[in-house]
Amino acid sequence: MSVLDSKVPEGPIKDKWTNHKNHIDLVNPANKRLIDVIVVGTGLAGGSAAASLAEMGYKVKAFAFQDSPRRAHSIAAQGGINAAKNYQNDGDSTYRLFYDTVKGGDYRGREANVYRLAEVSANIIDQCVAQGVPFARDYGGLLDNRSFGGVLVSRTFYAKGQTGQQLLLGAYSAMNRQIGKGKIEMFNRHEMLDLVKVDGKARGIIVRNLITGEIERHSAHAVVLATGGYGNVFFLSTNAMGSNVSAAWRAHRRGAFFANPCYTQIHPTCIPRSGDYQSKLTLMSESLRNDGRIWVPKNKEDVEAIRSGAKKPVQLSEDERDYYLERRYPAFGNLVPRDVASRAAKERCDAGFGVNQTGEAVFLDFASAIQRYGKEQATVLGEKSASKERITELGAAVIKNKYGNLFQMYNKIVDQDPYTTPMMIYPAVHYTMGGLWVDYNLMTTIPGCYAAGEANFSDHGANRLGASALMQGLADGYFVLPYTIGDYLSDEIRTGPISTETPEFEAAEKEVRERISKLVDNGGSKSVDHFHKELGKVMWNNVGMARNEAGLKEAIAKIRSIREEFWKDVLVPGGADELNPELEKAMRVADFLELGELFAKDALDRNESCGGHFREESVELDGEQKGEAKRDDVNYKYVAAWEWNNDPGEANLHKEELEFKDIELKTRSYK
Amino acid sequence: MSDKTMNLTLKIWRQKDAKSAGKLESYPISGISEHMSFLEMMDVFNEQQISAGNEPVAFDHDCREGICGSCSLQINGEAHGPDRRVTTCQLHMRMFKDGDTITIEPFRATAFPVIKDLVVDRTSFDRIQHAGGFVSVNTSGNTQDANSLPVPKVDADNAFDAATCIGCGACVASCKNASAMLFVSAKVSQFALLPQGKVEAKDRVLNMVNQMDLEGFGNCTNTGACEVECPKGISLDNIARMNREYMKAAIKKD
Ligand SMILES: Cc1cc2nc3c(=O)[nH]c(=O)nc-3n(C[C@H](O)[C@H](O)[C@H](O)COP(=O)(O)OP(=O)(O)OC[C@H]3O[C@@H](n4cnc5c(N)ncnc54)[C@H](O)[C@@H]3O)c2cc1C
Ligand code: SF4
Ligand code: FES
């Protein structure tokens, strides 16, 4: 038997969670006061977990590297959050959300976890509304919904293009209430640099106070890692600049298995890169695909003319345009899942139809939507003979109301007006489905160490559907972890406070100090960013949207040599005992340089195409699905959980076989 | 896309730490593309400093898309620089021209002490939120159905507009009194406009205003500079609403 025990409860899928909750040992309120829990990360997952655990009575210490919990990367989520409320009466249900998520994830997620996610999704909306989250409403005062890719119902709740902001501010306000009461002790500008294990259990962390450089020890009966995703291993991504893998990676090095590192989501609608100085990429929310149509010119001459500026995109007639998603996937059209849309854009651009100077851009066009909405509005207003200008004006106003802030953002960055000319977009790294392996209770393979939110691997399989990360983060933090952690902590009521004056803490602190000194004293010649960019290039070219055996082997060799070079030649100015952003970056990049290798190794091991992982060796050769990704359920229907073994290249593979009892395994078709 | 480049002079506030005195230092920089964001220009500057063996300049930033509220530069005397309705990270170099001198300072206020160079401590904002920026509802799987309490669309929209405040502090940095009224009133308004916030409305406004005063923010004298520089267009109407809420609460209290 595998060493991995997913602890999925017995019984029919729809009863598993309820039964499990009923059988979890409870900790009595008086005892909760004696139990410390560390929560690292205060995004949606960590913020909601910290607040809920404190409300229940645990003593919580929360950590974030930003100067306030409100600035966690979750703040940037735009489009929305899914929930199976069926407010639109369009046939939505817990089962349908469950089904869509498993199918969207290309049958590489764990059924029981996904079902639970769908089950608690409705509670999330109730909870957030009770907190005062101002979701969009219709004229009757009820909550409004929109659609996202890969589904046929309208179940996404939103707050203009700032849904993540509003949800995070909700969780932040719940935290603030507990901070004010002294139930949460908040450590801003503190970065976790190691996990401390005592007798095999997670018992604390080593952190660096980013203002003073002091190294601190913090102990607890359990440690929750809600530290987000690792998309920045690609250097350029839509993640915030500080998003990193370090907390998860350090836990990995201490024994937590890392699952499916190669599952990365490359989001189809991002603003294309503009130059070498580019520091990050900006997402244009998927919600835009509700109304925007994606196309490139049919003819190469038009491509050339557009690139050189001789022709404007609006000058091309309908039949000179190739709406390639509508052409290839008539059932889902522009709303195919992200991985499918991204690969289709790459295919067109690789074939020479990219519409900007770099050849890496396609159009996202709102002209039809503006006309459609304009006509609708004119009818509503009784303006039967409205002029074309008037219709455009009315339609543009509708679009502005829906996506105003996104259009403004685009305009500020690109200096073009998306109301009058189509946006240019290209895929970019956005989200990582892989992460720390967790069981049904969200516990990693280290007893007492939990992972929540994007940091774990649990719910999205090989591809995440839009608006499901916010759902998962809040489900984990509000409704799952606060219950499941009790199962473990009920055995801890007699443990008493955990001392930090032990050899284990001593040793972990010493290692951290040595790593810092090595970097600060290295005296090399190249900046941290230099190495991060080198790594990013290898990742994007060889481990990006399309992967193959030779490319992956090359990537592994290159990453190893960049890593060696980094430790020889990196230059970290400034000292260890002060605010030092270059040192912070260096610590993070050092860990990315190890993760990158495991990432490529995992991609090499998985010789099938599934979700965001596309192996050129594994495509459908004929039939209706010709050219589409080919999954291999006979050989790869497992979660790859990697165990650290002194070197990322030497990691040991453990397989969690996936079982599909409630959903039939099928080829994922959006045709 | 044309690619004009510029040569600029940067005058940057350098300060070793909270205790040391700081001063403006001048640095020339060349070859800056107009398509760069302001912070990308700062990245280029820092890379050059590192190669020259100097210490790069510290500044706060994270999302680089105008939503986290981390970035906080006073550029040529204006919070978030010369463009309107944008944060520093969304400001682009096309707003400047070849030969310009750009002065870059931290957001200044007694309640925002400098930590290093351009990085300031804005935890005073958090403490105001601890005092009352929430609805007292515990996590529970049994809160009432989200649609059981309809909220008129205008109220929901206005509450949303107030709630888009990113907590950057530009309002404070732009105010000659370093008042935090715009920031505090945005939170107070969000809850005052929603049925969920009404129950605790009185205590909320009293406690938040009290904490604001304790943190050393100045008084509001209605100059309106905050609204002009606010990257999220938070309206002065919120201050008027908060004043009303405060009067109501203060009268009832006595
Ligand atoms: C631009 C953009 C738009 C998106 N839009 C949507 C959307 O519309 N719908 C949707 O469902 N999803 C969306 N997503 C995805 C979603 O936002 C994220 O997956 C989700 O917010 C992650 O939340 P989290 O709580 O797991 O982590 P994060 O929000 O990333 O929080 C991580 C936390 O960990 C802390 N941390 C990290 N490392 C350390 C360390 N070493 N020490 C101490 N603290 C640490 C950070 O300070 C932070 O508090 C979007 C993502 C992006 C990039
Ligand atoms: S009110 Fe405006 S300027 Fe003030 S903190 Fe909020 S977003 Fe920033
Ligand atoms: S860096 Fe986030 S708002 Fe500027």
Side-chain angles (χ1 to χ4, degrees):
Chain A
M1 218 191 89
S2 157
V3 292
L4 295 168
D5 178 2
S6 65
K7 302 229 174 83
V8 171
E10 294 301 318
I13 197 152
K14 62 178 187 17
D15 301 331
K16 282 183 197 289
W17 179 229
T18 311
N19 287 344
H20 188 60
K21 273 198 296 186
N22 289 341
H23 290 99
I24 284 174
D25 286 334
L26 298 179
V27 181
N28 95 32
N31 285 331
K32 284 197 188 113
R33 268 176 260 138
L34 307 176
I35 292 185
D36 298 300
V37 182
I38 284 175
V39 179
V40 189
T42 61
L44 286 183
S48 57
S52 304
L53 290 166
E55 287 163 11
M56 294 168 85
Y58 295 110
K59 284 199 295 179
V60 176
K61 283 183 173 183
F63 296 81
F65 66 76
Q66 293 93 346
D67 66 334
S68 164
R70 68 177 296 152
R71 306 206 202 284
H73 167 59
S74 293
I75 201 86
Q78 302 172 349
I81 175 165
N82 290 330
K85 278 285 198 186
N86 195 28
Y87 282 160
Q88 307 303 325
N89 196 23
D90 53 6
D92 201 9
S93 62
T94 299
Y95 181 83
R96 193 173 282 275
L97 175 52
F98 160 62
Y99 173 82
D100 287 343
T101 308
V102 171
K103 175 185 171 190
D106 216 354
Y107 306 90
R108 290 292 175 264
R110 191 191 285 149
E111 267 192 343
N113 286 53
V114 180
Y115 194 89
R116 174 177 65 190
L117 174 65
E119 201 176 336
V120 303
S121 66
N123 286 342
I124 296 173
I125 304 302
D126 299 341
Q127 181 66 29
C128 294
V129 166
Q131 288 170 343
V133 170
F135 284 117
R137 288 178 182 266
D138 60 24
Y139 285 95
L142 301 181
L143 294 166
D144 196 17
N145 291 118
R146 52 168 59 142
S147 301
F148 260 51
V151 302
L152 298 169
V153 294
S154 207
R155 65 160 73 99
T156 305
F157 294 79
Y158 67 99
K160 277 208 181 144
Q162 279 139 274
T163 317
Q165 180 195 28
Q166 295 310 315
L167 295 172
L168 183 60
L169 292 181
Y172 167 68
S173 73
M175 277 187 83
N176 284 335
R177 181 167 157 245
Q178 300 305 320
I179 294 172
K181 288 181 176 175
K183 300 274 174 66
I184 297 179
E185 197 182 346
M186 181 67 216
F187 295 84
N188 298 312
R189 293 198 200 263
H190 277 69
E191 184 144 339
M192 166 178 162
L193 297 178
D194 212 342
L195 180 81
V196 183
K197 268 175 35 179
V198 180
D199 298 332
K201 293 177 172 175
R203 288 303 195 194
I205 58 175
I206 305 293
V207 299
R208 179 166 178 269
N209 176 330
L210 299 183
I211 298 179
T212 61
E214 268 163 275
I215 304 298
E216 302 171 5
R217 305 175 186 182
H218 294 273
S219 66
H221 297 86
V223 176
V224 178
L225 302 179
T227 45
Y230 51 86
N232 278 347
V233 66
F234 286 83
F235 183 70
L236 285 180
S237 85
T238 63
N239 290 7
M241 301 298 285
S243 296
N244 68 87
V245 78
S246 290
W249 191 254
R250 290 288 139 189
H252 172 59
R253 292 184 54 133
R254 295 277 173 203
F257 291 4
F258 208 105
N260 303 330
C262 82
Y263 288 169
T264 316
Q265 179 158 83
I266 314 246
H267 196 294
T269 55
C270 302
I271 300 179
R273 57 193 78 193
S274 78
D276 287 340
Y277 48 78
Q278 189 101 25
S279 60
K280 73 157 281 175
L281 296 166
T282 304
L283 173 79
M284 289 283 104
S285 166
E286 170 156 306
S287 59
L288 293 171
R289 286 199 276 143
N290 271 293
D291 286 310
R293 299 176 68 196
I294 294 176
W295 64 276
V296 293
K298 261 188 199 150
N299 307 314
K300 286 264 167 74
E301 302 76 65
D302 288 333
V303 171
E304 285 310 322
I306 285 174
R307 282 186 191 173
S308 70
K311 255 192 190 172
K312 298 229 159 25
V314 288
Q315 290 170 319
L316 263 60
S317 68
E318 280 298 299
D319 51 295
E320 287 167 328
R321 303 174 176 200
D322 176 14
Y323 295 95
Y324 57 85
L325 288 178
E326 297 171 25
R327 166 170 61 80
R328 287 179 62 180
Y329 308 98
F332 282 71
N334 292 295
L335 283 175
V336 290
R338 294 176 174 174
D339 54 334
V340 179
S342 289
R343 272 197 298 281
K346 177 172 160 47
E347 188 277 330
R348 282 294 79 193
C349 291
D350 288 353
F353 292 91
V355 295
N356 69 356
Q357 300 288 343
T358 64
E360 293 197 332
V362 299
F363 289 126
L364 177 63
D365 196 331
F366 293 86
S368 332
I370 289 176
Q371 291 309 310
R372 177 162 48 84
Y373 285 126
K375 283 181 195 142
E376 265 175 40
Q377 281 300 100
T379 313
V380 172
L381 296 172
E383 299 182 21
K384 283 211 187 84
S385 50
S387 63
K388 187 155 188 331
E389 288 71 38
R390 177 66 181 151
I391 288 178
T392 307
E393 183 193 333
L394 288 169
V398 174
I399 292 289
K400 182 168 184 200
N401 189 36
K402 287 185 139 180
Y403 314 111
N405 68 320
L406 298 172
F407 276 47
Q408 186 225 17
M409 201 190 311
Y410 183 86
N411 175 256
K412 289 288 177 193
I413 294 174
V414 185
D415 204 20
Q416 286 183 5
D417 175 19
Y419 291 99
T420 54
T421 186
M423 284 184 181
M424 282 186 287
I425 51 159
Y426 197 68
V429 172
H430 177 59
Y431 180 89
T432 47
M433 282 75 69
L436 292 175
W437 185 90
V438 288
D439 64 16
Y440 190 72
N441 290 329
L442 303 185
M443 190 153 90
T444 67
T445 48
I446 300 177
C449 176
Y450 290 77
E454 193 172 337
N456 73 27
F457 87 107
S458 85
D459 296 349
H460 307 293
N463 173 57
R464 175 175 70 77
L465 290 180
S468 286
L470 301 184
M471 170 172 70
Q472 184 225 331
L474 290 181
D476 287 359
Y478 282 136
F479 297 117
V480 178
L481 193 96
Y483 289 104
T484 56
I485 204 170
D487 208 28
Y488 178 81
L489 292 176
S490 57
D491 290 337
E492 293 287 341
I493 50 180
R494 278 176 207 89
T495 310
I498 300 194
S499 167
T500 54
E501 298 305 316
T502 59
E504 291 86 352
F505 275 94
E506 181 80 44
E509 178 180 328
K510 185 160 166 274
E511 270 183 52
V512 165
R513 286 186 185 280
E514 281 167 3
R515 218 163 0 118
I516 292 175
S517 310
K518 173 100 185 57
L519 288 168
V520 174
D521 301 337
N522 204 38
S525 70
K526 296 200 182 76
S527 71
V528 177
D529 275 4
H530 165 84
F531 293 100
H532 198 176
K533 286 180 181 175
E534 289 290 300
L535 170 66
K537 255 185 253 162
V538 175
M539 294 300 294
W540 182 248
N541 292 335
N542 295 24
V543 204
M545 271 191 281
R547 304 159 176 181
N548 62 50
E549 185 182 339
L552 290 168
K553 287 187 169 152
E554 183 186 68
I556 290 171
K558 279 189 175 166
I559 295 168
R560 291 187 76 92
S561 86
I562 299 171
R563 191 165 71 226
E564 218 169 279
E565 200 49 36
F566 171 88
W567 284 106
K568 257 195 249 148
D569 199 24
V570 70
L571 169 61
V572 180
D577 303 325
E578 56 176 332
L579 177 71
N580 187 344
E582 286 298 312
L583 174 60
E584 294 163 28
K585 279 200 281 187
M587 308 284 289
R588 295 173 191 158
V589 170
D591 291 335
F592 278 138
L593 283 164
E594 294 185 354
L595 163 77
E597 185 180 348
L598 183 66
F599 191 127
K601 185 178 165 71
D602 182 46
L604 183 61
D605 171 73
R606 191 171 284 279
N607 190 10
E608 66 160 346
S609 296
C610 61
H613 170 64
F614 185 70
R615 281 289 296 263
E616 286 167 353
E617 296 92 335
S618 188
V619 290
E620 300 283 355
L621 296 174
D622 43 41
E624 197 201 17
Q625 298 291 331
K626 185 167 180 222
E628 300 291 329
K630 185 171 171 209
R631 213 175 59 223
D632 176 355
D633 293 329
V634 175
N635 295 303
Y636 295 98
K637 192 167 57 60
Y638 61 76
V639 175
W642 298 93
E643 179 186 14
W644 174 254
N645 181 23
N646 295 318
D647 180 299
E650 300 298 320
N652 295 325
L653 175 62
H654 298 269
K655 298 178 183 177
E656 178 194 343
E657 283 298 330
L658 291 167
E659 289 183 351
F660 293 90
K661 291 187 186 148
D662 289 83
I663 291 182
E664 186 197 349
L665 267 180
K666 276 205 297 220
T667 301
R668 198 173 57 133
S669 169
Y670 293 95
K671 294 263 181 198
Chain B
M1 268 198 239
S2 67
D3 211 359
K4 274 185 278 173
T5 63
M6 321 175 224
N7 300 329
L8 305 162
T9 305
L10 305 180
K11 287 175 120 173
I12 305 180
W13 185 261
R14 302 304 303 257
Q15 180 171 338
K16 190 167 167 24
D17 53 35
K19 290 182 214 98
S20 314
K23 64 170 193 299
L24 281 171
E25 301 221 19
S26 266
Y27 308 87
I29 185 165
S30 55
I32 295 301
S33 154
E34 59 168 355
H35 297 303
M36 282 182 192
S37 72
F38 196 84
L39 295 186
E40 283 168 348
M41 182 278 290
M42 296 293 284
D43 293 340
V44 170
F45 171 78
N46 272 346
E47 283 292 300
Q48 291 178 358
Q49 292 301 308
I50 295 169
S51 324
N54 302 329
E55 241 201 86
V57 52
F59 58 91
D60 264 329
H61 66 104
D62 199 23
C63 73
R64 296 210 175 184
E65 45 189 64
I67 194 73
C68 72
S70 295
C71 60
S72 44
L73 302 182
Q74 191 83 357
I75 301 165
N76 288 341
E78 284 187 273
H80 296 307
D83 205 354
R84 289 289 166 262
R85 295 283 171 99
V86 295
T87 52
T88 300
C89 60
Q90 292 174 297
L91 179 68
H92 275 71
M93 295 311 292
R94 61 180 84 93
M95 295 297 293
F96 300 90
K97 54 181 197 314
D98 191 33
D100 276 359
T101 295
I102 308 178
T103 308
I104 309 169
E105 292 174 89
F107 279 3
R108 303 231 184 246
T110 316
F112 291 168
V114 172
I115 293 173
K116 179 177 186 172
D117 293 340
L118 303 169
V119 178
V120 298
D121 178 353
R122 286 169 287 182
T123 47
S124 47
F125 266 15
D126 282 329
R127 287 187 294 271
I128 296 175
Q129 303 280 7
H130 301 162
F134 48 78
V135 174
S136 295
V137 53
N138 275 2
T139 308
S140 137
N142 301 314
T143 39
Q144 59 185 342
D145 182 84
N147 259 351
S148 62
L149 202 59
V151 181
K153 184 168 165 59
V154 276
D155 289 346
D157 286 352
N158 287 336
F160 170 81
D161 285 344
T164 57
C165 162
I166 57 173
C168 63
C171 45
V172 175
S174 312
C175 174
K176 67 178 169 52
N177 311 319
S179 163
M181 283 291 271
L182 196 63
F183 167 77
V184 179
S185 70
K187 201 71 203 169
V188 167
S189 287
Q190 175 196 344
F191 289 129
L193 285 159
L194 294 172
Q196 290 81 7
K198 294 248 154 72
V199 182
E200 297 165 281
K202 281 182 210 128
D203 287 342
R204 175 177 306 115
V205 66
L206 294 174
N207 292 341
M208 289 181 79
V209 169
N210 181 40
Q211 187 65 35
M212 171 178 86
D213 294 342
L214 287 176
E215 295 291 345
F217 290 103
N219 291 325
C220 173
T221 53
N222 289 312
T223 61
C226 53
E227 187 186 40
V228 177
E229 300 294 351
C230 171
K232 295 293 139 180
I234 303 294
S235 148
L236 288 177
D237 296 348
N238 292 301
I239 296 187
R241 187 178 295 107
M242 179 160 91
N243 284 333
R244 287 199 300 277
E245 291 281 319
Y246 188 82
M247 293 307 287
K248 263 199 300 198
I251 292 165
K252 286 270 164 56
K253 255 304 197 268
D254 298 335

